[in-house]
Amino acid sequence: MPKLSDRVGTFTDSVIRRMTRISDACGAINLSQGFPDYDPPREMLDALAKVAYEGPHQYAVTFGAQNFREALAKKAGRTLGRVIDPDREIVVTCGGTEAMMCAVMTVCNPGDKILVFSPFYENYGADAILSGADPIYVPLVPPEYDFDLNLVEDGFRRGAKAIIVCNPSNPCGKVFSREELTAIGELALRYDAFIITDEVYEHLVYAPYTHVAAASLPGLFDHVITCNSLSKTYAVTGWRLGYVIAPEEVAEAAKKVHDFLTVGAPAPLQEAAVVGLNFPESYYEELRALYTDKRDHFLAGLDSIGLKHNVPRGTYFVMVDISDFLALPAFKGMTDLEFCEWMIKNIGVAAVPGSSFFREEVNDLIRLHFAREKETLDEVIVRLGKMTALLNGQGS
Ligand code: GLN
């Protein structure tokens, strides 16, 4: 067979999405790939039903349907504290995934450096590779997931074109403070670099923490490429609706990348989603309250069975420490990936191995998400309880 490109040999498929396939094949409860198990808001479903008969069913404008971009500009304008031009500063993409890929491809030449915090959402590795960029990793150090600003400056000094900031952070739940973002922003200005943000969990930030958008900080808009999506906010991960907000010059370039990658996001789904973008602030407050409750409920469940975990300040992910299990003779020498496969088959719960998020050698963490009905989360705790019983020598 003819040879494939070197590029495809340099990264693996997504471990997150692989775990979902294994979980589905084994009938486990899937807490690996993060997506909600409830329906989108009724208003969006009604709109979708109407669209089925009234259209549109053909291409939207490549960089997003006019009414969708206008609604988006209004919503995002509130967060960013400025008027967003729907024609010049927005590119609608196929999910946050394409938004990120598009942003990295828009600013990086092959061989350019790009700063990435570790742990990081696994897509960023592939975004860098497919753009030919070399990541420089900066550790986020638990338990607070702080970082050393000197390392960020070092990266910029070495010529990094951009820094990726996932805020709040998948998988560790870090919420970047205004001070941290301001400090990163000062460096981006000083070294003339971009900040590429991934803010898909912007509404899942738990009190007392609040979300600050980097692009809203004074003087930073021209250096920030904001990537976001409707997936988590409106429970529509399958609709593949994302977007980039950037200054005109950047957005115009990103429009070209997007046009040739995908032509456009699904027109009927953009039409149906407009009603969601127009929801009042109370919708987002209720969403935050819903997830605060789920988080507290799930973490209390983990505590009740003695599983050690972090306390996420944002997102719907929690990192669970499995080192006590790996110290047992039965699991000796297992990788976290093997442990997750064992869990799916023997415990009936799917998680993501922590190693898929870290640059550093990490083998003692797994990631679970809690975007599930409370009853499902309770069943997960019952199943994980059988696992923790192994630690007390009570299991088989
Ligand atoms: N962001 C989600 C996660 O980390 C998944 C997104 C995706 O698979 N596209 O699980």
Side-chain angles (χ1 to χ4, degrees):
M1 188 189 283
K3 270 185 67 178
L4 302 178
S5 76
D6 293 340
R7 190 184 302 123
V8 294
T10 56
F11 60 100
T12 69
D13 62 326
S14 152
V15 178
I16 296 175
R17 295 179 280 277
R18 194 191 313 163
M19 297 320 286
T20 284
R21 292 193 295 274
I22 303 175
S23 176
D24 288 350
C26 296
I29 300 178
N30 183 8
L31 297 194
S32 57
Q33 188 180 18
F35 57 88
D37 63 352
Y38 55 88
D39 283 335
R42 185 60 203 242
E43 296 88 331
M44 290 170 72
L45 297 181
D46 289 343
L48 185 60
K50 193 159 166 267
V51 168
Y53 292 100
E54 294 178 10
H57 291 293
Q58 311 310 324
Y59 304 123
V61 171
T62 169
F63 52 88
Q66 188 70 29
N67 58 345
F68 186 81
R69 274 182 287 111
E70 281 170 7
L72 208 47
K74 261 198 221 137
K75 177 183 183 292
R78 290 199 297 273
T79 310
L80 301 186
R82 63 183 285 137
V83 175
I84 301 296
D85 185 333
D87 299 324
R88 295 180 181 78
E89 294 174 335
I90 295 182
V91 188
V92 178
T93 57
C94 294
T97 297
E98 197 217 341
M100 287 299 295
M101 181 69 78
C102 186
V104 177
M105 291 189 98
T106 298
V107 302
C108 286
N109 285 314
D112 277 348
K113 297 183 175 58
I114 185 161
L115 280 155
V116 179
F117 288 109
S118 169
F120 58 96
Y121 175 45
E122 58 176 10
N123 279 36
Y124 309 153
D127 292 339
I129 288 169
L130 289 171
S131 313
D134 290 330
I136 299 175
Y137 293 95
V138 174
L140 291 174
V141 185
E144 302 287 317
Y145 293 100
D146 293 327
F147 60 94
D148 181 348
L149 193 64
N150 291 317
L151 295 179
V152 175
E153 175 151 21
D154 245 28
F156 281 132
R157 211 180 279 125
R158 286 165 61 195
K161 285 287 294 288
I163 182 167
I164 294 179
V165 177
C166 183
N167 184 29
S169 290
N170 180 2
C172 64
K174 176 185 175 66
V175 174
F176 282 80
S177 68
R178 182 176 297 273
E179 292 69 33
E180 287 174 322
L181 292 171
T182 302
I184 294 170
E186 279 168 7
L187 292 176
L189 292 176
R190 191 175 322 147
Y191 291 91
D192 200 25
F194 284 107
I195 302 173
I196 299 174
T197 67
D198 176 348
E199 305 187 40
V200 304
Y201 303 99
E202 66 172 323
H203 294 293
L204 305 187
V205 174
Y206 307 112
Y209 302 96
T210 52
H211 175 70
V212 177
S216 73
L217 295 177
L220 266 193
F221 185 76
D222 282 349
H223 281 253
V224 179
I225 304 175
T226 303
C227 298
N228 210 326
S229 128
L230 276 66
S231 288
K232 279 74 183 180
T233 305
Y234 306 99
V236 288
T237 61
W239 289 23
R240 312 310 301 132
L241 295 177
Y243 56 95
V244 171
I245 295 183
E248 179 174 356
E249 202 178 317
V250 178
E252 288 303 325
K255 282 177 185 174
K256 293 190 286 181
V257 176
H258 158 75
D259 191 2
F260 288 106
L261 274 178
T262 62
V263 177
L269 299 171
Q270 290 185 56
E271 179 66 30
V274 168
V275 61
L277 293 172
N278 288 332
F279 282 158
E281 278 306 305
S282 56
Y283 173 79
Y284 307 102
E285 280 154 26
E286 281 162 26
L287 186 73
R288 189 170 301 117
L290 176 79
Y291 275 96
T292 302
D293 189 42
K294 282 188 197 298
R295 180 193 70 155
D296 294 348
H297 186 77
F298 191 51
L299 297 189
L302 293 175
D303 290 338
S304 73
I305 54 170
L307 271 181
K308 289 182 249 168
H309 58 83
N310 73 329
V311 177
R313 296 173 177 179
T315 76
Y316 46 45
F317 301 112
V318 55
M319 302 297 274
V320 172
D321 185 333
I322 55 163
S323 51
D324 290 345
F325 296 94
L326 296 183
L328 294 175
F331 299 108
K332 205 122 206 114
M334 247 195 200
T335 63
D336 57 356
L337 176 63
E338 288 162 345
F339 186 82
C340 285
E341 286 168 351
W342 173 87
M343 257 181 74
I344 291 176
K345 289 177 186 136
N346 295 278
I347 302 296
V349 176
V352 183
S355 56
S356 47
F357 303 104
F358 282 87
R359 171 61 172 175
E360 301 79 15
E361 283 291 317
V362 168
N363 195 48
D364 53 4
L365 293 172
I366 58 172
R367 190 197 77 175
L368 296 171
H369 80 82
F370 48 85
R372 289 284 176 271
E373 298 289 359
K374 272 182 168 174
E375 296 69 35
T376 308
L377 295 175
D378 288 342
E379 175 57 25
V380 166
I381 296 299
V382 170
R383 294 184 186 191
L384 293 178
K386 291 188 189 136
M387 193 168 91
T388 48
L390 295 173
L391 292 175
N392 311 320
Q394 293 158 5
S396 53

